[in-house]
Amino acid sequence: MPTETTTPTETTTLTSTDPRTGARVPTDLTATTAEQADVVVRAADAAFAAASSHDRLWRAGLLDALADALDAHRDELVAAADRETGLGTTRLEGEVGRSSFQFRLFAEAVREGGYLEATIDRGGPTPLGPAPEIRRMLVPVGTVAVFGSSNFPFAFSVAGGDTASALAGGNAVVLKAHSSHLETSARSYAALAEAAAAYGAPDGLIGIVYGTEAGRVLVAHPLIQAVGFTGSLNGGRALMDVIDQRPRPIPFYGELSSLNPLVITPGAAAVRGEAIADGLYGSFTLGSGQFCTKPGLAFVPTGADGDAVVARIAAKAGEAGASVLLNGRIATSFDEIRDRLIATGSVEVLAQGVADAGAGFTAAPTVLSTTADTLTADVAEEAFGPLLVIVRYDDDAQVVRALDVVPDSLTATVHSEASETDAVAALVREFAPRVGRIVFDGYPTGLRVSWAQHHGGPWPATNSQHSSVGVSAVRRFLRPLAYQDAPEVLLPPELRDDHTDIPRRIDGRLQLG
Amino acid sequence: MPTETTTPTETTTLTSTDPRTGARVPTDLTATTAEQADVVVRAADAAFAAASSHDRLWRAGLLDALADALDAHRDELVAAADRETGLGTTRLEGEVGRSSFQFRLFAEAVREGGYLEATIDRGGPTPLGPAPEIRRMLVPVGTVAVFGSSNFPFAFSVAGGDTASALAGGNAVVLKAHSSHLETSARSYAALAEAAAAYGAPDGLIGIVYGTEAGRVLVAHPLIQAVGFTGSLNGGRALMDVIDQRPRPIPFYGELSSLNPLVITPGAAAVRGEAIADGLYGSFTLGSGQFCTKPGLAFVPTGADGDAVVARIAAKAGEAGASVLLNGRIATSFDEIRDRLIATGSVEVLAQGVADAGAGFTAAPTVLSTTADTLTADVAEEAFGPLLVIVRYDDDAQVVRALDVVPDSLTATVHSEASETDAVAALVREFAPRVGRIVFDGYPTGLRVSWAQHHGGPWPATNSQHSSVGVSAVRRFLRPLAYQDAPEVLLPPELRDDHTDIPRRIDGRLQLG
């Protein structure tokens, strides 16, 4: 690959932007050339092979060491991220904690071993005649490309869940740093790489590249076996097009776009409308509305109780000032989408804050309103930022009909009272095929990282049946491998007769470890 | 959709061909029009919704009823299939038995419930603060399109594993009958549909379409949520292109092309060369070599022991007559690929039988030979039919180097002696990333249907990390759905506190049912 290119390689120095001021400062980072990216991928692949000689517990120890490194570098990382993202130190400290927690949770899962799905069918007579012995477990796919997101500089970036889950599965990882927080990415990477080296991991097991072109090189590279991506629908589509052109397709796990509808029932509006208005306002403006789980569309009943909810949200939005966005692209896109929604003429503007003057990137909370019967697809669009579309409805049938124009999402939320169970059950039946998580009497933001969590959903939320958050996220970077009549000594330890300390299914019966 | 097309619908009567004679007889089947296919898909989707009110045990009963129906119609089905495939009644009777066994195995798995991956994290304090309760399980994707294969008129067709696993998951199925055995498909479908109706399943839960164009309509249809396909690489690529054009991508589970390399070590050649020669000959000629698991490439050591193995295989092939192939396309393709391999000039022809004269479709066993150091990609190509390429090697390093030009496969096989464990371990390390199943001292054909089985592999064997055979095949047609703080009454039964008879993971600890 290096010898095939004839383009002279220019060194492009990358800059880091402070979104609060728009000030750009040069970094000592340069855009990774195609040749350099190839070297990084090959090193990762070699490291993957070298690390394969280590057992599961070694890997769990590595994950713990990476968690410790994140905690140890917390202040430095938070300072860099605050400068590059404007998200504030409280949020960012929490996010580093969440990231190290993720590594430790995967370490726990790796030690427990159930994720391997170890399954043994002994040989012998069967209803179809004599059969060989089959033993199967999940094994790593190899080297994985991980694209950091803009909105989580830690938990969905270099030190994020894709990295942790890919490493937990026994893979090597090559990261594509997000252009919006290059310094944070470089410092996160340095912390992880240093800890991995100190732990004795093979050089290159975690690699990194910078720049859009290097990202494309990764996705097209024959040694990359899977891609983890959290970002925009357009960005994801562009990478999927690259994958479609590969001679050998690979899985693309994209977490792309989500509107996250929320329904407030008449009962809920009557009993606790004020609290819901406050909670919903907090949720759609959290982190300047820059969450993939942000509730972007809220169905509110017509009538006085619903009016009060809407008025309270609009008032809070009207009083709020502008808050900083992650980068100029998001700020421009937010303005465009907000203006486009308003230009449809089918929404009423209940609150429209004004972005700060000046060179920074900001947006102010915006609340639009329409009715269920007039809701159209051009209003049911994700606006990344603090924007909420309120949809007033008279009865549940209107909500159900309106859902036809709402894109499938990561989540749906229902606020209701116990007396409304039948109606809520009908709503849940509507939402179930359309989302990956249904939230009751809460808010979709503030995603719990745990064993049961599922962060995924039908297209365009994601393009897969897998989760990018929680323990099951590791499944994306594993593949099954079966052994037929293998001599015991040639089996992976987890498939040998004496390895009884992990959950395994033997002759169809699940056994605890 | 029906009103949008302006093409006049012509009725195309489909014909069924006897591969033994080439005789074409009209059927009473017609190519399904786009309008008719749309009606079938919509009916399936409505039936899916209606069937969702039934519980898991109802579905297990349906699978058992379908199994009983296949057994009850065995003789009629076998007669039709023998006429259309030339596979012979013994093989076909076994295949019906395998198909009904598959339905019953999935019924067993559905009753056991572990496939749901039910997971519960109770709410409460966590290291990251208070957290909501999350409950997750796998739910059906909806309506699935299943494309029957040419080479398994039952086990990978209308009554095959894709149908059984999709129904087991709670989905509706629309089948695309393979053109090579239309009568068999229609009769299989009638048996299944009649049994489903008698069991009380909603009309349309299992649908069927005929003709290539109807297949494309299925894959493009907005209500189809996933595709199961067993067939050629070209056929799979064509459908993947259709999917790439969909506004909303869906998973395509293709089982496409596999060369299935087999290695005979010097020790094995010395100790039991004769038995291996017989076994390998039987495996690559089984069913006229029309298995995706056919060993198409065999590494045989140089020297007298290897010579004896090769001579025995070549002699058996030379004595064999022609056997019938499934259809004219396969016969033409077999001749083309065989001639192309020979035309490379890099293989020696050890045996080349001659197809029967006459209008039927036949091929005779063909054995070609080359050396590991001269093996090139244009010789390492799957020929669907009774063709084996023998690759002579001096040492294992040659085998490993030669694997660079061998496409990834469903399986790899190693015949060795216990004294060679170190060398075999090195070979296994080479094969592990390249295949989905490693067979020891046996043959890849004769796939066991069981809990541990994995029938998949890296591209071009398949394009996914899933299996199309065995209990785990159901995973392809399921997706996770999480509930956050849901009232108990709104949860699926399997996620309620009192549903303790299936395996579940609660607060990270796996519990048996």
Side-chain angles (χ1 to χ4, degrees):
Chain A
M1 203 159 177
T3 56
E4 284 170 12
T5 181
T6 54
T7 317
T9 57
E10 284 178 44
T11 301
T12 312
T13 300
L14 299 170
T15 57
S16 172
T17 305
D18 182 339
R20 290 190 179 94
T21 62
R24 294 159 61 94
V25 293
T27 67
D28 53 6
L29 302 168
T30 54
T32 308
T33 64
E35 293 80 358
Q36 290 165 338
D38 177 65
V39 170
V40 173
V41 173
R42 288 178 190 280
D45 211 59
F48 162 67
S52 298
S53 64
H54 291 295
D55 69 7
R56 214 172 80 242
L57 302 184
W58 179 88
R59 218 156 57 237
L62 171 62
L63 296 168
D64 280 339
L66 298 177
D68 292 344
L70 291 176
D71 288 341
H73 288 80
R74 190 186 73 164
D75 294 348
E76 165 208 339
L77 295 174
V78 165
D82 188 47
R83 200 168 55 237
E84 288 188 308
T85 68
L87 287 172
T89 54
T90 305
R91 143 77 191 268
L92 291 167
E93 282 169 7
E95 196 183 322
V96 172
R98 174 178 164 157
S99 301
S100 61
F101 177 80
Q102 286 190 139
F103 277 93
R104 292 196 183 96
L105 180 63
F106 281 112
E108 183 187 336
V110 167
R111 290 192 177 96
E112 195 258 356
Y115 76 104
L116 295 170
E117 299 179 14
T119 308
I120 298 172
D121 294 325
R122 298 187 194 285
T126 76
L128 301 181
E133 176 192 87
I134 307 283
R135 296 179 186 234
R136 183 197 69 212
M137 60 182 264
L138 299 181
V139 298
V141 295
T143 297
V144 170
V146 168
F147 284 68
S149 74
S150 64
N151 59 336
F152 279 92
F154 301 113
F156 287 82
S157 285
V158 168
D162 282 358
T163 303
S165 58
L167 291 173
N171 304 283
V173 173
V174 179
L175 297 147
K176 154 64 171 66
H178 197 281
S179 59
S180 200
H181 45 74
L182 294 167
E183 281 283 351
T184 308
S185 296
R187 286 173 189 266
S188 299
Y189 176 70
L192 296 181
E194 184 188 333
Y199 186 75
D203 278 356
L205 187 68
I206 312 173
I208 193 166
V209 301
Y210 298 89
T212 306
E213 185 49 33
R216 260 193 291 269
V217 170
L218 283 193
V219 173
H221 200 290
L223 290 176
I224 292 293
Q225 309 295 343
V227 178
F229 176 87
T230 304
S232 70
L233 188 54
N234 287 341
R237 272 285 195 193
L239 293 180
M240 289 169 76
D241 287 345
V242 175
I243 287 178
D244 289 344
Q245 300 304 317
R246 290 175 59 110
R248 185 173 61 84
I250 54 174
F252 175 80
Y253 299 105
E255 198 259 87
L256 302 171
S257 172
S258 190
L259 190 56
N260 306 301
L262 178 147
V263 177
I264 303 169
T265 64
V271 174
R272 50 194 172 87
E274 201 166 296
I276 295 172
D278 293 352
L280 175 55
Y281 179 80
S283 185
F284 93 83
T285 58
L286 190 69
S288 297
Q290 299 167 114
F291 286 108
C292 42
T293 54
K294 182 201 83 172
L297 195 75
F299 289 91
V300 179
T302 49
D305 295 328
D307 290 346
V309 169
V310 172
R312 190 171 175 95
I313 293 172
K316 291 176 83 85
E319 291 159 12
S323 59
V324 68
L325 295 173
L326 291 159
N327 59 49
R329 193 188 54 72
I330 290 172
T332 304
S333 169
F334 180 80
D335 288 348
E336 280 174 5
I337 295 176
R338 181 201 56 212
D339 293 347
R340 189 160 69 230
L341 295 189
I342 294 172
T344 60
S346 63
V347 295
E348 183 186 351
V349 180
L350 300 185
Q352 183 182 3
V354 179
D356 281 345
F361 314 121
T362 62
T366 298
V367 181
L368 309 178
S369 178
T370 185
T371 66
D373 278 350
T374 59
L375 182 69
T376 52
D378 54 359
V379 175
E381 183 185 0
E382 183 189 22
F384 203 70
L387 185 144
L388 173 70
V389 175
I390 288 173
V391 185
R392 305 300 298 270
Y393 71 96
D394 300 314
D395 57 51
D396 289 353
Q398 282 184 327
V399 175
V400 170
R401 280 197 307 274
L403 287 182
D404 278 348
V405 301
V406 176
D408 290 352
S409 290
L410 294 166
T411 73
T413 300
V414 182
H415 281 268
S416 65
E417 289 296 297
S419 57
E420 299 168 308
T421 294
D422 288 350
V424 174
L427 270 181
V428 167
R429 278 195 296 276
E430 293 296 325
F431 278 131
R434 294 178 158 97
V435 304
R437 177 168 55 112
I438 305 178
V439 178
F440 295 84
D441 304 325
Y443 302 93
T445 47
L447 190 63
R448 179 177 183 182
V449 177
S450 68
W451 291 81
Q453 188 56 278
H454 177 59
H455 189 62
W459 181 270
T462 71
N463 69 323
S464 76
Q465 301 172 349
H466 295 274
S467 180
S468 67
V469 174
V471 171
S472 70
V474 68
R475 181 66 181 81
R476 298 172 297 166
F477 304 121
L478 297 169
R479 67 185 182 89
L481 180 59
Y483 295 80
Q484 178 171 322
D485 285 334
E488 178 109 1
V489 65
L490 294 175
L491 287 168
E494 289 88 349
L495 289 179
R496 295 182 190 170
D497 281 342
D498 63 359
H499 199 93
T500 54
D501 65 340
I502 65 168
R504 301 196 296 186
R505 187 179 287 277
I506 300 180
D507 290 334
R509 298 178 74 89
L510 193 60
Q511 307 192 358
L512 299 179
Chain B
M1 204 160 177
T3 56
E4 285 169 11
T5 180
T6 54
T7 318
T9 58
E10 285 179 42
T11 300
T12 312
T13 300
L14 299 170
T15 57
S16 170
T17 305
D18 182 338
R20 291 192 179 94
T21 63
R24 294 159 61 94
V25 293
T27 66
D28 53 5
L29 303 168
T30 54
T32 310
T33 64
E35 292 80 357
Q36 290 166 338
D38 177 64
V39 170
V40 173
V41 172
R42 288 178 189 279
D45 210 60
F48 161 69
S52 298
S53 65
H54 292 295
D55 69 6
R56 213 171 83 240
L57 302 184
W58 179 89
R59 220 156 55 236
L62 171 63
L63 296 169
D64 280 340
L66 299 177
D68 293 345
L70 291 176
D71 288 342
H73 287 81
R74 189 185 74 162
D75 294 349
E76 165 208 339
L77 295 175
V78 165
D82 187 47
R83 201 168 55 238
E84 289 189 308
T85 68
L87 288 172
T89 54
T90 306
R91 143 77 193 268
L92 291 168
E93 283 170 6
E95 196 182 321
V96 172
R98 172 176 163 159
S99 300
S100 60
F101 176 82
Q102 284 189 142
F103 277 91
R104 293 196 182 94
L105 180 62
F106 281 111
E108 184 187 334
V110 167
R111 290 193 176 95
E112 196 259 355
Y115 76 104
L116 295 171
E117 300 179 14
T119 308
I120 298 172
D121 294 325
R122 298 188 194 285
T126 76
L128 301 182
E133 177 193 87
I134 307 284
R135 298 179 184 232
R136 183 196 69 212
M137 60 181 265
L138 299 181
V139 299
V141 295
T143 298
V144 171
V146 168
F147 284 69
S149 75
S150 65
N151 59 336
F152 278 91
F154 301 113
F156 288 82
S157 286
V158 168
D162 282 357
T163 303
S165 56
L167 291 173
N171 304 283
V173 173
V174 179
L175 296 147
K176 154 65 172 66
H178 196 281
S179 59
S180 200
H181 45 75
L182 294 167
E183 282 282 351
T184 309
S185 296
R187 286 172 188 268
S188 298
Y189 175 70
L192 295 181
E194 186 186 334
Y199 185 75
D203 278 356
L205 188 67
I206 313 174
I208 192 166
V209 300
Y210 299 91
T212 306
E213 186 48 34
R216 260 193 291 268
V217 170
L218 283 193
V219 173
H221 200 290
L223 290 176
I224 292 293
Q225 309 295 344
V227 178
F229 176 86
T230 304
S232 69
L233 187 55
N234 286 341
R237 272 284 196 194
L239 294 180
M240 289 168 76
D241 286 345
V242 175
I243 288 177
D244 289 344
Q245 299 305 315
R246 289 175 61 110
R248 185 174 59 86
I250 54 174
F252 176 80
Y253 298 106
E255 198 259 86
L256 302 171
S257 172
S258 189
L259 191 56
N260 304 302
L262 177 148
V263 176
I264 303 170
T265 64
V271 173
R272 48 192 174 89
E274 202 166 294
I276 295 171
D278 293 353
L280 176 54
Y281 178 80
S283 185
F284 92 83
T285 59
L286 190 70
S288 297
Q290 299 168 115
F291 287 107
C292 42
T293 54
K294 182 200 81 171
L297 195 75
F299 289 90
V300 179
T302 50
D305 295 329
D307 290 347
V309 168
V310 172
R312 190 170 174 95
I313 293 172
K316 291 177 84 85
E319 291 159 10
S323 59
V324 68
L325 295 174
L326 291 159
N327 60 48
R329 194 188 53 72
I330 288 173
T332 303
S333 169
F334 180 79
D335 288 350
E336 280 175 4
I337 295 175
R338 180 200 58 212
D339 293 348
R340 188 160 69 231
L341 296 189
I342 293 171
T344 61
S346 64
V347 296
E348 183 186 351
V349 181
L350 300 185
Q352 181 183 3
V354 178
D356 283 343
F361 313 123
T362 65
T366 297
V367 181
L368 309 177
S369 179
T370 186
T371 65
D373 279 351
T374 59
L375 182 69
T376 52
D378 54 359
V379 175
E381 182 185 0
E382 182 188 22
F384 203 69
L387 185 144
L388 174 69
V389 174
I390 288 173
V391 184
R392 305 299 299 269
Y393 72 96
D394 300 315
D395 57 51
D396 289 354
Q398 281 183 328
V399 175
V400 171
R401 280 199 305 274
L403 287 182
D404 278 347
V405 300
V406 176
D408 290 351
S409 290
L410 293 166
T411 74
T413 300
V414 182
H415 280 268
S416 65
E417 290 296 298
S419 58
E420 299 168 309
T421 295
D422 288 351
V424 174
L427 270 180
V428 168
R429 277 194 296 276
E430 292 296 325
F431 278 130
R434 292 178 158 99
V435 303
R437 177 168 55 111
I438 306 178
V439 178
F440 294 84
D441 304 325
Y443 302 94
T445 47
L447 189 64
R448 179 177 183 182
V449 177
S450 69
W451 292 81
Q453 188 57 277
H454 176 61
H455 189 60
W459 180 270
T462 71
N463 70 321
S464 75
Q465 302 172 349
H466 295 273
S467 180
S468 67
V469 174
V471 172
S472 70
V474 69
R475 182 66 181 82
R476 298 172 298 166
F477 305 121
L478 297 169
R479 67 184 181 89
L481 180 60
Y483 295 79
Q484 178 170 321
D485 285 334
E488 177 110 1
V489 65
L490 294 175
L491 287 168
E494 289 88 350
L495 289 180
R496 295 183 189 169
D497 282 342
D498 63 358
H499 199 94
T500 55
D501 65 340
I502 65 168
R504 301 196 295 185
R505 187 178 289 276
I506 300 180
D507 290 334
R509 300 179 73 89
L510 192 59
Q511 307 193 358
L512 299 179

